[in-house]
Amino acid sequence: MSTNNKHGFYWRVDTTEMSGTSIRETFPVVTMVNYTTASAIDLPESSRVLVTRQGGQVFAYPLNYMGIEVLNEESGDKFFVPNYCPLTRTSMVWDRKTGDTVFTFAASGLLYRENLVLYDIERRRLWSQMLIEKIYGGQDLTQPQTLHSFESTLDMIKTYYPNAKVYNGVFESSAKKTEQSGYKDADPGDDDISTPLYSPGENVYGVIQDDYVITISHNDLPNGLSIITKDNIVIVSYGEMGVIVSFINNSGLSLVENEFPTILRDAQGIKYDIFGKPVNLTGTANLESPNAYNALWWAWDSFYDDFDPVE
């Protein structure tokens, strides 16, 4: 459904599926983020964290502290946006830079199909988190690019990345922050699920392909390290750490046992860690990541039609 206005902006989605309200003071633009070490974070070791490696530095964002939903960060030559929707339990990291322009994002206060809608302050466009695309704006074809990230536990960060920068929930912004109302689960119940592959509130990892989504439930993860290859995608999980990552498999990738966080080896013998970074040969490019993230099953079912579940 398209609604044109005097600025030449229009909607790319049905606005009857939008909800919420845009209040800048409730969701300020966060441009200064405070970090500490994992050992200094006062949360249970089982707490879920969003993890990414940018500019040579590992970052971890405890989901308990992501009520602000959208952060703007930079590290070296990398500009990135950790973002989290507490309703759909969806976390990912976007690239802030398009061409020579670095964009600044915030939560808009709006929802599309009960999922986070981001807002960029430079051009005032709106972006669907789970669709990973613009849903309101001009006719330019700009779309966000995701950066490799995954969810794990605070314990994994403490054990394997003790020098990681861990977000401590403190930030500075360009607007005064007000109290945010608590979120309730938006689980619609079994009757509203059109594809009953999983229970509505189940945490499911999905890899978005051209016309379908590869899915695997966190409830189905085996203990230890395991690998699954589907089409051109390799998916690696570590059940005890609650980790699922995926990469585009263009080089005959196979599992590396007992060397975590090194997890993969290609046909030339080059090993890669959980970030897709080569660990035994310099000058080699990182593995390429597809668009993939975690979300509650009812949310996947709301946004996509065709699924290929991992057996």
Side-chain angles (χ1 to χ4, degrees), residues 229-297:
T229 301
K230 269 187 171 288
D231 300 331
N232 66 328
I233 300 296
V234 61
I235 302 171
V236 178
S237 69
Y238 193 163
E240 290 86 342
M241 298 292 180
V243 170
I244 309 176
V245 295
S246 56
F247 300 98
I248 296 174
N249 188 12
N250 292 326
S251 53
L253 296 170
S254 60
L255 196 65
V256 173
E257 300 276 6
N258 303 316
E259 295 184 26
F260 190 85
T262 297
I263 59 172
L264 290 169
R265 178 190 292 108
D266 68 15
Q268 286 71 47
I270 302 172
K271 294 181 179 181
Y272 300 86
D273 68 10
I274 199 168
F275 297 104
K277 178 180 178 293
V279 298
N280 63 338
L281 186 66
T282 59
T284 301
N286 288 5
L287 295 176
E288 186 178 354
S289 301
N291 285 333
Y293 53 81
N294 296 287
L296 299 180
W297 176 242

Side-chain angles (χ1 to χ4, degrees), residues 124-174:
R124 302 182 181 181
R125 299 165 297 184
L126 296 174
W127 310 82
S128 165
Q129 185 200 35
M130 286 190 65
L131 288 179
I132 317 176
E133 66 181 43
K134 180 172 58 182
I135 61 172
Y136 177 76
Q139 296 187 16
D140 64 278
L141 300 178
T142 303
Q143 299 295 1
Q145 299 297 312
T146 60
L147 299 173
H148 180 69
S149 65
F150 58 90
E151 288 184 19
S152 186
T153 62
L154 185 60
D155 180 55
M156 192 280 286
I157 296 298
K158 287 182 177 180
T159 303
Y160 295 100
Y161 297 99
N163 296 321
K165 297 177 71 171
V166 183
Y167 173 50
N168 64 2
V170 179
F171 61 86
E172 297 177 19
S173 71
S174 59

Side-chain angles (χ1 to χ4, degrees), residues 87-89 186-204 295-301:
L87 283 174
T88 58
R89 311 282 175 84
D187 186 339
D190 293 306
D191 292 342
D192 295 314
I193 297 295
S194 61
T195 312
L197 295 174
Y198 313 96
S199 64
E202 203 164 334
N203 188 15
V204 175
L296 299 180
W297 176 242
W298 67 260
W300 281 115
D301 184 73

Side-chain angles (χ1 to χ4, degrees), residues 11 13-24 27 69 85 87-88 107-119 126-128 135 183-186 298 302-303:
W11 289 98
V13 296
D14 185 346
T15 55
T16 65
E17 297 182 287
M18 302 291 297
S19 60
T21 183
S22 182
I23 305 173
R24 295 263 54 80
F27 292 97
E69 302 184 9
C85 178
L87 283 174
T88 58
S108 67
L110 299 169
L111 300 171
Y112 175 60
R113 297 183 180 178
E114 302 298 328
N115 172 247
L116 169 67
V117 173
L118 294 88
Y119 167 88
L126 296 174
W127 310 82
S128 165
I135 61 172
Y183 289 98
K184 64 179 182 179
D185 289 338
W298 67 260
S302 174
F303 275 88

